[in-house]
Amino acid sequence: GKDAFGPTASIKTTAELEIIDQPQEWLDFLKDRNITTHTYREYDAAAIYQRVKDFPPLVDALIISAERIPTSA
């Protein structure tokens, strides 16, 4: 296995292992998530709200990839 500490490293590692195929999208969502925890600007919130609608298909693809990973007994 590989060690990955923190969300950015985890995203990069899962991309290297071909578990996800759009790491930049994941990194963009992480950036948006970080912005939303520290912003109170309606404009930023509205823009992120529009982008977050693209996230569920990536999560669905991740779930499918994760289900294909063999588990050790």
Side-chain angles (χ1 to χ4, degrees):
K2 285 188 106 175
D3 290 330
F5 300 99
T8 300
S10 296
I11 291 168
K12 290 178 180 181
T13 299
T14 56
E16 289 171 10
L17 296 172
E18 298 180 350
I19 296 170
I20 61 172
D21 61 0
Q22 295 178 303
Q24 189 56 53
E25 292 291 324
W26 284 88
L27 291 168
D28 290 344
F29 287 122
L30 176 61
K31 178 182 169 188
D32 285 346
R33 180 254 175 222
N34 291 339
I35 290 170
T36 60
T37 61
H38 302 290
T39 190
Y40 301 97
R41 294 185 299 236
E42 188 173 341
Y43 172 80
D44 289 338
I48 291 168
Y49 176 76
Q50 291 303 314
R51 289 191 298 270
V52 79
K53 294 176 183 180
D54 297 330
F55 195 55
L58 294 177
V59 175
D60 291 340
L62 170 61
I63 291 169
I64 291 168
S65 291
E67 289 174 342
R68 292 182 182 148
I69 297 172
T71 57
S72 55

